Amino acid sequence: MNISRVLAAGTASLFFALPAAAEMTHCTIHYSLSGWSAFYMRYDGSGRVTCENGQRASVALRVRGGGVTFGKSQIDRGTGTFSEVEDISEVFGSYVSVGGHAGATQSGEGWAMTKGQVSLVLSGTGRGFDLGFAFAGFTITRR
């Protein structure tokens, strides 16, 4: 074995190493939302995103949309799961969502949404008087 070949191969591998595949992580959100709807829907809230890789962020939530929807509610115990991401920064932005809500005193909601390669499924319970099905823009921003 020629020492110069070993050194050359080792040096070349330092300069031409393939980039490592990005490690993916799962993130979840715990949130609260309150608002109203009468065909038009307007909800605002806050939450906390936590990822398995240790990243965390406090977030503000904004929902604007419409459909066959009426009522007023407050979701106090909401949770959600994101599709795998490389970094927490991928969860921020505007999603296209479809969801429903119903309640008389007790209220519940469920949403499915997507933003490019990132998807999010939400469900929550709280209180209010509401019933409906809506399409909405759901925006998550860092607080």
Side-chain angles (χ1 to χ4, degrees):
M1 181 182 275
N2 187 335
I3 297 284
S4 61
R5 283 189 178 176
V6 171
L7 289 174
T11 304
S13 68
L14 291 175
F15 291 104
F16 299 108
L18 295 174
E23 195 165 319
M24 303 298 275
T25 188
H26 285 96
C27 299
T28 57
I29 185 170
H30 293 274
Y31 68 94
S32 62
L33 278 174
S34 63
W36 58 269
S37 63
F39 295 109
Y40 177 75
M41 160 181 260
R42 180 187 171 107
Y43 281 79
D44 293 292
S46 61
R48 181 103 174 133
V49 175
T50 305
C51 301
E52 289 177 340
N53 66 3
Q55 295 177 312
R56 292 180 169 81
S58 294
V59 297
L61 306 173
R62 178 184 161 140
V63 182
R64 301 291 187 271
V68 181
T69 177
F70 302 94
K72 183 175 182 180
S73 65
Q74 180 171 337
I75 301 301
D76 298 319
R77 295 169 304 280
T79 60
T81 304
F82 293 91
S83 58
E84 285 188 321
V85 295
E86 291 180 20
D87 186 82
I88 196 170
S89 63
E90 293 180 57
V91 305
F92 304 117
S94 295
Y95 294 75
V96 174
S97 63
V98 61
H101 56 99
T105 308
Q106 298 276 334
S107 185
E109 69 173 12
W111 291 91
M113 58 194 74
T114 188
K115 174 185 76 97
Q117 297 293 320
V118 181
S119 297
L120 172 60
V121 176
L122 298 175
S123 64
T125 59
R127 59 188 182 280
F129 294 91
D130 58 332
L131 179 64
F133 181 84
F135 295 95
F138 189 99
T139 304
I140 301 174
T141 56
R142 193 182 288 268
R143 279 196 313 174

